[in-house]
Amino acid sequence: MIATKVYSRVGPGRNDIGASRGHIMDAVEASPPPLAGPDLSICTKCHGNDAVTPVEETLRALDTLVQQGKVRYVGCSNWQAWKIARAPRHLRAQEPGPI
């Protein structure tokens, strides 16, 4: 498995930290290319709770990566349980999606 972890500061810019769409997309694009192989699992994990970025933005960015085939699995860590529990409701309110 190859995993990309996003959230930590990686530079001085405004989108160089957090769980914003820009930071997530930049982090995945900056990751090394995956090795060849049909059984390779690629995971992106949001490794922190971002109090500034709306959870819907974070979830939509992760969903976009899955839809584009850039990652196969997504996850999170260091999030409050209530935020994880409400995530599907946030997504359904915007538009139905498979995430």
Side-chain angles (χ1 to χ4, degrees), residues 17-56:
I17 187 171
S20 70
R21 180 179 184 83
H23 182 63
I24 291 170
M25 298 304 204
D26 289 348
V28 171
E29 290 299 323
S31 296
L35 304 171
D39 297 326
L40 180 66
S41 297
I42 303 169
C43 171
T44 295
K45 179 176 78 161
C46 190
H47 182 63
N49 180 41
D50 188 338
V52 177
T53 304
V55 68
E56 298 88 354

Side-chain angles (χ1 to χ4, degrees), residues 48-51 76-87:
N49 180 41
D50 188 338
C76 63
S77 61
N78 302 322
W79 283 26
Q80 298 96 337
W82 64 264
K83 195 173 201 178
I84 296 168
R86 289 184 183 170

Side-chain angles (χ1 to χ4, degrees), residues 5-11 16-18 23 47:
K5 182 169 74 171
V6 299
Y7 181 77
S8 300
R9 179 162 293 284
V10 295
D16 289 340
I17 187 171
H23 182 63
H47 182 63

Side-chain angles (χ1 to χ4, degrees), residues 39-74:
D39 297 326
L40 180 66
S41 297
I42 303 169
C43 171
T44 295
K45 179 176 78 161
C46 190
H47 182 63
N49 180 41
D50 188 338
V52 177
T53 304
V55 68
E56 298 88 354
E57 179 179 336
T58 300
L59 296 173
R60 277 289 148 225
L62 295 171
D63 184 52
T64 298
L65 292 170
V66 172
Q67 295 302 315
Q68 292 175 346
K70 293 184 178 182
V71 300
R72 190 174 295 175
Y73 304 103
V74 297

